[in-house]
C-alpha cells in the first residue's frame, strides 16, 4: 500500500469512528424526545394502543409516570446501534463518493457534486440500516395498552418479525426513508436546518406509520407509501404529516450541535494517534 493510500485509509477510519461516536452521544442524550416524536407521528386518532398526549411535555411526564425510565428509553439499543452505524457509514460513504467524483476533476468538487455525494451516502445508509430503524420504531410504540405480545428486546424483535412477517418486513418504510435520508443529508449544512426539517418531516411520519407492528390478525395499518399519503390527507389533512414536529424540533436543535461537536473532538483525538504511528 502506498503512503498516499495508507493516509487515505487512515482518514476514512477516523471519519467512520468519529461519526459513530457522535451518533452514540446524540442518541444517549436525546432519546426520550425521539420516543415522544414517534408516538405522536403514528397517532392518527384511530390507534387504540397508544395513550393520548396533549403536547410534548405532557407526553414526557405521562410516559415517565406510567412506564418509567424504561418507557422513555424504549428502543434505545436499536436507536444507538442505528445511529452509530448510520453516522459511521455516512461519513465513510460520503468520503468515498467525493473521492470518486474528484478523480477526473483534479481533486476539486463543485457544490453540486458535494450535495450529490451526500445524497448518495444518505441513500446507501438507508438501505443498510432500515431493519434497525424498524425495530426501534416498534419498540418505541410498545405501551401497557398493547394487545399483542410485546417484544422482550432487540433480539426478540428481529426474531419475531422474521418469523411472523418474513424478511421483507424489515424494509417497510424504505421508500420514504430513501427520500428522507438522501434529501436530509444533502441539505445538512448546505441550508437552514429548520428548512431541512420542514422539508423532510412528512417522510419521517410516513416511515413511522409504515413501520408499525401489524394488528393481531396480521394486517398492517398502512399497506404502502401511497396508502399512507392518501389516508393521512383524507383523515387528518396537512397537520397529519407534521404530527410530533414540536418534539422533533426540540430534539434536533441540540442534536445537530451534539453530533458535530463530538465528531470534531473525537476526530482531533484520533488524528495525533494515527499521524504519529
Amino acid at each position: 500500500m502506498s503512503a498516499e493510500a495508507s493516509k487515505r485509509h487512515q482518514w476514512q477510519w477516523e471519519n467512520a469512528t468519529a461519526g459513530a461516536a457522535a451518533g452514540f452521544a446524540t442518541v444517549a442524550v436525546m432519546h426520550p424526545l425521539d420516543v415522544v416524536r414517534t408516538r405522536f407521528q403514528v397517532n392518527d386518532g384511530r390507534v387504540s394502543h397508544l395513550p393520548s398526549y396533549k403536547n410534548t411535555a405532557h407526553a414526557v411526564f405521562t410516559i415517565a409516570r406510567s412506564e418509567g425510565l424504561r418507557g422513555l428509553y424504549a428502543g434505545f439499543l436499536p436507536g444507538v446501534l442505528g445511529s452509530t452505524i448510520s453516522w459511521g457509514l455516512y461519513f465513510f460513504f460520503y468520503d468515498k463518493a467525493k473521492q470518486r467524483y474528484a478523480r477526473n476533476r483534479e481533486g476539486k468538487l463543485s457544490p453540486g457534486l458535494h450535495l450529490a455525494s451526500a445524497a448518495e451516502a444518505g441513500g446507501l445508509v438507508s438501505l443498510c440500516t432500515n431493519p434497525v430503524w424498524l425495530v426501534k420504531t416498534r419498540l418505541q410504540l410498545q405501551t401497557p395498552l398493547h394487545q399483542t405480545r410485546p417484544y422482550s428486546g432487540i433480539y426478540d424483535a428481529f426474531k419475531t418479525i422474521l418469523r411472523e412477517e418474513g424478511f421483507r418486513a424489515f424494509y417497510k418504510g424504505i421508500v420514504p426513508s430513501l427520500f428522507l435520508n438522501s434529501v436530509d443529508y444533502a441539505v445538512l449544512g448546505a441550508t437552514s436546518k429548520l428548512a431541512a426539517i420542514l422539508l423532510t418531516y412528512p417522510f419521517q411520519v410516513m416511515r413511522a406509520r409504515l413501520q408499525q407492528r401489524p394488528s393481531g390478525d396480521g394486517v398492517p395499518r398502512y399497506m404502502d407509501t401511497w396508502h399512507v399519503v392518501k389516508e393521512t390527507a383524507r383523515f387528518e389533512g396537512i397537520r397529519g404529516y407534521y404530527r410530533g414536529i414540536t418534539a422533533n424540533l426540540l430534539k434536533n436543535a441540540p442534536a445537530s450541535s451534539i453530533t458535530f461537536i463530538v465528531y470534531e473532538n473525537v476526530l482531533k483525538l484520533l488524528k495525533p494517534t494515527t499521524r504519529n504511528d
Side-chain angles (χ1 to χ4, degrees):
M1 184 184 290
S2 68
E4 184 179 348
S6 177
K7 186 181 292 185
R8 187 164 59 243
H9 176 74
Q10 288 176 336
W11 177 245
Q12 290 169 354
W13 175 81
E14 290 166 359
N15 274 330
T17 304
F24 176 86
T26 305
V27 175
V29 176
M30 307 308 302
H31 192 76
L33 284 173
D34 192 58
V35 172
V36 171
R37 177 190 66 176
T38 302
R39 293 193 181 184
F40 270 118
Q41 285 176 338
V42 303
N43 199 339
D44 56 9
R46 297 176 290 153
V47 182
S48 60
H49 65 267
L50 285 177
S52 179
Y53 306 121
K54 297 175 182 176
N55 50 48
T56 301
H58 180 248
V60 171
F61 286 119
T62 301
I63 294 170
R65 186 176 63 250
S66 60
E67 302 172 53
L69 197 62
R70 187 173 181 177
L72 288 173
Y73 278 86
F76 179 70
L77 183 56
V80 166
L81 184 63
S83 186
T84 302
I85 293 173
S86 291
W87 279 109
L89 287 178
Y90 169 71
F91 285 111
F92 177 77
F93 287 141
Y94 180 52
D95 191 55
K96 283 283 191 181
K98 286 195 299 181
Q99 287 178 32
R100 190 174 67 254
Y101 286 128
R103 279 174 192 160
N104 300 321
R105 295 174 176 80
E106 300 180 353
K108 296 179 180 179
L109 291 181
S110 66
L113 286 176
H114 276 284
L115 293 180
S117 298
E120 179 183 316
L124 288 170
V125 167
S126 288
L127 291 172
C128 293
T129 59
N130 200 74
V132 181
W133 296 129
L134 178 128
V135 169
K136 185 206 76 166
T137 296
R138 296 213 176 166
L139 289 173
Q140 289 180 331
L141 295 177
Q142 290 189 155
T143 74
L145 300 176
H146 224 278
Q147 297 176 352
T148 53
R149 183 189 74 81
Y151 305 124
S152 60
I154 183 171
Y155 174 71
D156 182 54
F158 273 107
K159 187 174 65 174
T160 304
I161 292 167
L162 188 61
R163 184 182 68 247
E164 294 181 352
E165 303 169 63
F167 183 77
R168 288 183 62 184
F170 290 116
Y171 281 88
K172 287 183 177 180
I174 188 62
V175 174
S177 185
L178 284 170
F179 280 105
L180 168 64
N181 275 9
S182 296
V183 174
D184 195 33
Y185 281 122
V187 297
L188 190 63
T191 186
S192 156
K193 184 60 181 175
L194 177 60
I197 291 171
L198 294 175
L199 179 65
T200 61
Y201 194 75
F203 294 112
Q204 292 189 39
V205 173
M206 287 182 246
R207 181 177 67 178
R209 294 189 175 193
L210 284 167
Q211 291 181 341
Q212 293 178 87
R213 191 175 184 177
S215 57
D217 57 8
V219 178
R221 188 164 193 79
Y222 298 98
M223 305 306 295
D224 52 38
T225 304
W226 181 235
H227 188 214
V228 178
V229 172
K230 288 191 301 182
E231 292 292 288
T232 302
R234 177 185 174 193
F235 290 102
E236 303 164 76
I238 192 69
R239 290 183 60 185
Y241 297 108
Y242 286 91
R243 288 195 181 275
I245 188 70
T246 302
N248 191 71
L249 290 171
L250 291 172
K251 171 182 175 288
N252 275 281
S256 297
S257 299
I258 293 169
T259 298
F260 283 99
I261 288 171
V262 174
Y263 175 74
E264 291 296 333
N265 281 280
V266 171
L267 205 56
K268 287 177 184 176
L269 287 173
L270 293 173
K271 280 183 179 180
T273 304
T274 54
R275 296 292 184 270
N276 296 329
D277 286 345

